[in-house]
Amino acid sequence: MSDSRREFIRKSLLLSGAAGLDVPSVLKEKSPVAPDGDRLVLLGTQGGPFIRSYKQSPSANLIVYKNAPIVIDAGYGVTFKLRDAGVNLSALKYIFITHHHSDHNLELGTLLYNAWIAGLKEPIHVYAPVGVKHLLHHYWESNSFDIDIRIKDEGRADIRTLVVSHEIAEGTLITNADMEVSALKNIHPPITESFAFKFKLGEKRVVFSGDTAYCEPLVSFASGADYLVHEVMNGKAVEEMVKRRPNASKLKASILSHHTLAEDVGKIAQEAKVKNLVLNHFVPPDDQTLTDQVWIDSVRSTFPGNIIVGKDLMQLGL
Ligand SMILES: [Zn+2]
Ligand SMILES: [Zn+2]
């Protein structure tokens, strides 16, 4: 890694609050996005849907490329995190959803609604597993009173015609002059329609694992990626957590079936020879003994490269 890149990441860590500072106001209220160049922004890094605090909210990520914001997953809190990342919601054009667990899609409808209220004029494309049309249809239904009134009363375009939803399969989702986006089925039983995403942005590659058990095909999918954003689980802490629950054995089996142990995350990153491994979607999410150093140490045994412990609003240059 070059000195300037190292310095950028150091500054990003400071800006993100990773060093204990609050998110500074300079990141807020810029339009359409803060003019900081192409970047990856982690919006929500918590695993699971339980809401604890604003500091770490459920899954959501942002790529800003050529000044265009692209959202990957829309867990609860994504709208406020986008505002704090300086994004003008009416500039949104693409939203990608890895799977239909609520910690990844709960705020999809509301994010679209909020983009509409912010002045969305151009179509917005949602790429998500089968079920997204059903989900949005019922979201619009449940909010039709407000939407219909605002169309009539405020002269707004109909949000229902501005949103274009695409139910995805494995393979290439988008190819255009700016980017290529592809999807890989990951391992998330009992959900069968769950995906990892790869964004090719010029020379840069950013890969999101989604929620997945150890997924060997990710090695070639993420090969040489500039950033692999991978979910991560601490096996010992999961053991401790389930001991406290009445449904321990069922819960443990469920968690282990669709998440990846830290050591295996490192293995994937090493075999894929990624330039930076970004940890997110921490499981369990609420164990105070799991410090940044613990996460780094548990991945370090299998991955000697650059490990970044993800924090909400952390910015990483592309
Ligand atoms: Zn999840
Ligand atoms: Zn999930």
Side-chain angles (χ1 to χ4, degrees), residues 46-49 59 99 101 103-104 188 211 231 258-259 281 283:
Q46 179 194 264
S59 282
H99 65 298
H101 254 157
D103 54 323
H104 300 256
H188 192 331
D211 286 9
E231 70 128 86
H258 57 258
H259 295 300
H281 197 283
V283 178

Side-chain angles (χ1 to χ4, degrees), residues 5-177:
R5 171 53 54 88
R6 204 168 278 129
E7 180 63 9
F8 181 89
I9 290 176
R10 192 188 69 79
K11 280 184 182 157
S12 299
L13 293 172
L14 287 170
L15 289 174
S16 72
L21 301 173
D22 285 336
V23 178
S25 57
V26 292
L27 288 178
K28 296 178 184 173
E29 302 299 328
K30 294 192 175 168
S31 177
V33 291
D36 298 326
D38 300 335
R39 61 201 184 276
L40 162 67
V41 185
L42 311 180
L43 300 174
T45 60
Q46 179 194 264
F50 192 96
I51 302 302
R52 293 177 177 82
S53 81
Y54 180 77
K55 204 173 166 195
Q56 194 182 38
S57 49
S59 282
N61 297 284
L62 166 72
I63 287 174
V64 180
Y65 185 64
K66 295 190 175 177
N67 216 30
I70 302 162
V71 173
I72 301 97
D73 277 342
Y76 188 77
V78 64
T79 300
F80 275 115
K81 288 287 164 66
L82 281 166
R83 293 301 293 138
D84 275 346
V87 173
N88 178 348
L89 300 176
S90 69
L92 289 178
K93 194 170 171 193
Y94 296 111
I95 301 175
F96 296 83
I97 302 292
T98 56
H99 65 298
H100 290 306
H101 254 157
S102 65
D103 54 323
H104 300 256
N105 75 0
L106 191 62
E107 203 169 309
L108 174 61
T110 302
L111 175 58
L112 292 164
Y113 179 92
N114 289 335
W116 179 58
I117 285 297
L120 184 77
K121 300 232 169 14
E122 300 293 318
I124 183 165
H125 293 264
V126 179
Y127 289 82
V130 63
V132 70
K133 288 179 190 287
H134 172 88
L135 186 152
L136 289 177
H137 172 75
H138 290 284
Y139 184 83
W140 304 137
E141 280 293 298
S142 68
N143 290 283
S144 61
F145 178 82
D146 175 274
I147 292 168
D148 290 339
I149 278 185
R150 289 188 193 280
I151 291 170
K152 211 169 154 196
D153 204 35
E154 300 172 8
R156 291 177 185 273
D158 191 337
I159 175 68
R160 292 161 292 211
T161 61
L162 280 174
V163 174
V164 185
S165 53
H166 307 261
E167 296 193 325
I168 62 175
E170 193 170 62
T172 303
L173 306 180
I174 296 174
T175 316
N176 61 35

Side-chain angles (χ1 to χ4, degrees), residues 164-232:
V164 185
S165 53
H166 307 261
E167 296 193 325
I168 62 175
E170 193 170 62
T172 303
L173 306 180
I174 296 174
T175 316
N176 61 35
D178 290 330
M179 66 178 182
E180 187 182 318
V181 186
S182 49
L184 170 80
K185 262 200 181 181
N186 58 22
I187 302 168
H188 192 331
I191 297 172
T192 57
E193 299 303 303
S194 177
F195 296 90
F197 291 131
K198 172 162 58 184
F199 294 79
K200 289 188 187 173
L201 310 158
E203 295 299 303
K204 300 293 179 180
R205 308 275 183 279
V206 183
V207 174
F208 299 88
S209 69
D211 286 9
T212 183
Y214 179 73
C215 182
E216 177 70 31
L218 258 180
V219 171
S220 56
F221 190 69
S223 178
D226 294 271
Y227 293 103
L228 169 60
V229 182
H230 204 300
E231 70 128 86
V232 67

Side-chain angles (χ1 to χ4, degrees), residues 207 209 214-232 260-279 299-308:
V207 174
S209 69
Y214 179 73
C215 182
E216 177 70 31
L218 258 180
V219 171
S220 56
F221 190 69
S223 178
D226 294 271
Y227 293 103
L228 169 60
V229 182
H230 204 300
E231 70 128 86
V232 67
T260 307
L261 288 166
E263 298 76 9
D264 288 337
V265 173
K267 228 169 114 184
I268 296 277
Q270 173 63 4
E271 286 173 21
K273 296 187 172 49
V274 302
K275 297 188 180 79
N276 297 282
L277 171 60
V278 182
L279 305 177
V299 176
R300 180 65 73 210
S301 61
T302 46
F303 181 63
N306 194 39
I307 302 166
I308 298 166

